[in-house]
Amino acid sequence: MTRSFRVKQDYIAKVKLAVQYKGYPRQQDLADELELSLATVSNFLNGKFVYNLNFQEIAEKLGFDWTEICETQNKESHKSRKENIKRLNPELYVEREPDNFQYIEREPYESQCYEFLAKPGALIRIKAPEEMGKTTLLSRVLSRVNQQNYKTRTLSFELADCTVLNNLRQFSRWFCASVAKKLELPNNLDDYWDDIFGCNSNTTAYFQDYLLPKIDSPLVLALDNVDRVFEHQAIADDFCRLLRGWYDLARRSDRNSAIWNKLRLIIAHSTEVYSALDVNHSPLSNVGFVIELAELTIEQVQNLAELHELNWQASQANQLMAMVGGHPYLVKLTLDYIYRQNVTLDYLLQIAPTEAGIFRDHLRKHLGTLKQHPELAAAFYEVAIATEPVQISSEQVFKLHSLGLVKLQGNQVTPRCNLYRQYFPERLGVQGQMVYNS
């Protein structure tokens, strides 16, 4: 059977309309109901190839006969593209998989994850600013270890609402019940919970005496979007102490350590949250193995272009990286747009630092954050207008680097990319100049 299908061109508008007609306000809502990634649903709706079983499932959910709307993959064309990628960079090539469409390996990060997850009681932190590929890497790693007799579950803290995140007891019980549900176990919280012992002790007892004994293989529990927790002082410190405590329990030589050796944690979080905290405070400092994601290399950018069916030379990859660096989200956004809209790279780069450019939402989000913190805005204004690396206070370096706005060069910093250098000075304008000159 053909591995991948895509929606025929003349049906794309119809399937997009069907999403709203069937009662899904957002593509994410449809993805959640089908338990597929947002990328898979988006690829389907935009006429890109998706795994055949996923294609059939989405089509049927939207009320279509999948055999009527599908177009099969051109095997010869796809084969030639694969062979070309293998020839250019065999170590970076991976097959397109259902939820890893157009995925490029991020070594050495993947190998490091596999190595540390093999250790009982492991804890890995995948750390980077938003949109640097944390969730994608997380999904890739879980997909692989799931094939190696590990039980894998993901809990995203995006699912926790404000009523949960503003009360430690409510949050702790939500966390316990959510993991139990992921493991398809009944909610027996009331049998293990006694308020006199406090939330962390109760949560630990629930895992130690109920959840972990119920599983017969190591559990890799991935906690995604942990920044939501860090943003709430009422729960952040206690939750971080809980995770530190579990990490220590697995390393003790007592009767409980064997139980805790079953649990391997992967925590994915953006460093952006630290901009609101004291510069010397890191909620999970010195805990576990830390992976800090770097930018894509030029080889990886070229291979992503190839996977988007763009016959790029090295000069075009360099041209794009001269504007956005190796920022995974900005690179992928550019390639997706060129692939879908059939526009030129030159045109996109010309309008890139303007409100008409495809990066406007990304840039406005950062601009909003800076304007909420005038001293930080002034520091970045100084960095953005400089023609050479500049030295600013260590606290400002920490916060701007956490936001993903600057690169470090020793004790000095530069804007992460030319896009930021071109966009921000004018918009920070008088505010940045006044604080900077005062």
Side-chain angles (χ1 to χ4, degrees):
M1 186 176 185
T2 304
R3 182 180 178 85
S4 299
F5 299 149
R6 69 180 175 190
V7 175
K8 292 177 181 176
Q9 192 69 30
D10 54 350
Y11 276 93
I12 291 177
K14 295 178 182 179
V15 297
K16 288 182 176 179
L17 285 173
V19 175
Q20 297 288 331
Y21 180 76
K22 291 292 184 178
Y24 301 104
R26 304 173 304 154
Q27 293 181 18
Q28 183 68 63
D29 299 320
L30 175 60
D32 289 344
E33 179 158 329
L34 292 169
E35 296 185 349
L36 297 174
S37 73
L38 177 59
T40 297
V41 170
S42 178
N43 287 335
F44 173 93
L45 296 173
N46 287 290
K48 296 185 180 181
F49 285 109
V50 299
Y51 186 61
N52 54 51
L53 296 180
N54 291 344
F55 183 97
Q56 295 173 38
E57 190 175 9
I58 300 170
E60 290 169 2
K61 178 63 71 173
L62 295 177
F64 290 95
D65 178 351
W66 68 268
T67 61
E68 181 182 350
I69 67 171
C70 84
E71 179 176 281
T72 58
Q73 197 161 21
N74 183 323
K75 293 183 178 180
E76 287 303 312
S77 173
H78 183 53
K79 180 178 179 181
S80 65
R81 287 198 303 274
K82 290 198 296 185
E83 292 302 322
N84 193 31
I85 296 170
K86 288 180 180 179
R87 176 179 57 80
L88 290 171
N89 261 117
E91 71 279 5
L92 294 177
Y93 174 77
V94 294
E95 291 279 357
R96 293 183 181 183
E97 298 180 359
D99 288 334
N100 288 311
F101 185 74
Q102 297 169 338
Y103 181 82
I104 291 292
E105 288 186 357
R106 301 290 297 272
E107 288 295 352
Y109 310 126
E110 290 182 27
S111 297
Q112 290 171 337
C113 286
Y114 303 140
E115 177 185 350
F116 276 86
L117 286 176
K119 299 178 180 179
L123 188 152
I124 298 172
R125 288 191 288 138
I126 302 175
K127 170 181 161 183
E130 286 186 358
E131 301 171 336
M132 287 292 288
K134 299 183 297 299
T135 300
T136 304
L137 174 62
L138 191 65
S139 299
R140 177 70 173 184
V141 169
L142 293 179
S143 176
R144 288 287 181 88
V145 301
N146 191 48
Q147 303 169 15
Q148 302 172 3
N149 198 34
Y150 289 85
K151 189 181 293 290
T152 61
R153 296 293 185 271
T154 302
L155 178 62
S156 172
F157 289 99
E158 286 289 344
L159 300 175
D161 59 34
C162 290
T163 60
V164 168
L165 293 168
N166 285 317
N167 181 281
L168 181 60
R169 184 180 188 276
Q170 183 75 8
F171 170 78
S172 300
R173 290 175 66 85
W174 173 87
F175 178 62
C176 290
S178 297
V179 176
K181 186 177 181 180
K182 292 284 184 180
L183 293 171
E184 300 179 342
L185 294 172
N187 179 4
N188 288 340
L189 261 175
D190 291 338
D191 295 337
Y192 293 87
W193 196 276
D194 188 335
D195 283 329
I196 197 171
F197 293 113
C199 294
N200 280 4
S201 292
N202 281 311
T203 303
T204 300
Y206 195 67
F207 272 73
Q208 179 175 291
D209 300 335
Y210 176 53
L211 297 182
L212 294 177
K214 290 287 187 181
I215 59 177
D216 54 8
S217 60
L219 169 64
V220 179
L221 179 60
L223 306 179
D224 200 7
N225 297 302
V226 182
D227 313 271
R228 290 293 310 282
V229 177
F230 294 166
E231 291 166 1
H232 294 265
Q233 290 290 314
I235 63 173
D237 289 341
D238 284 301
F239 185 64
C240 290
R241 280 198 291 269
L242 175 73
L243 299 181
R244 284 197 297 264
W246 289 359
Y247 183 68
D248 292 337
L249 283 171
R251 276 146 191 77
R252 297 179 183 175
S253 299
D254 59 26
R255 61 188 181 88
N256 292 322
S257 60
I259 284 289
W260 289 101
N261 281 340
K262 280 187 176 182
L263 180 64
R264 291 98 196 271
L265 291 168
I266 310 180
I267 303 167
H269 61 92
S270 164
T271 50
E272 289 187 353
V273 67
Y274 299 150
S275 64
L277 301 176
D278 183 273
V279 67
N280 296 312
H281 177 68
S282 177
L284 289 171
S285 60
N286 303 317
V287 178
F289 179 73
V290 180
I291 291 175
E292 296 198 44
L293 294 183
E295 295 187 343
L296 299 177
T297 65
I298 187 171
E299 291 83 6
Q300 290 171 319
V301 172
Q302 284 182 271
N303 279 273
L304 273 176
E306 192 73 26
L307 287 171
H308 282 78
E309 303 177 16
L310 302 175
N311 186 26
W312 275 18
Q313 304 299 318
S315 60
Q316 290 164 295
N318 277 317
Q319 189 180 1
L320 173 58
M321 294 183 75
M323 177 62 77
V324 303
H327 193 296
Y329 172 74
L330 300 181
V331 168
K332 183 74 161 53
L333 182 63
T334 304
L335 297 175
D336 283 348
Y337 196 85
I338 292 174
Y339 175 78
R340 292 197 314 268
Q341 304 297 330
N342 194 28
V343 297
T344 66
L345 175 62
D346 286 338
Y347 171 73
L348 286 186
L349 296 182
Q350 181 181 351
I351 64 171
T354 73
E355 299 302 330
I358 62 172
F359 308 123
R360 56 186 174 274
D361 291 338
H362 171 86
L363 294 167
R364 287 171 183 167
K365 182 182 73 172
H366 280 309
L367 182 62
T369 300
L370 291 170
K371 287 192 170 183
Q372 290 173 16
H373 302 88
E375 291 187 359
L376 199 59
F380 189 59
Y381 176 80
E382 177 185 354
V383 173
I385 64 174
T387 57
E388 300 289 338
V390 299
Q391 187 163 347
I392 55 179
S393 76
S394 59
E395 180 176 358
Q396 292 165 340
V397 169
F398 175 80
K399 291 179 178 180
L400 289 172
H401 186 258
S402 295
L403 286 165
L405 289 171
V406 299
K407 287 183 177 180
L408 304 179
Q409 294 190 11
N411 294 324
Q412 299 177 313
V413 294
T414 61
R416 176 174 286 277
C417 59
N418 281 329
L419 177 67
Y420 296 168
R421 189 188 296 277
Q422 294 181 34
Y423 179 84
F424 285 104
E426 178 183 350
R427 288 161 181 83
L428 292 175
V430 175
Q431 182 186 31
Q433 293 178 37
M434 285 177 62
V435 181
Y436 169 51
N437 292 325
S438 61

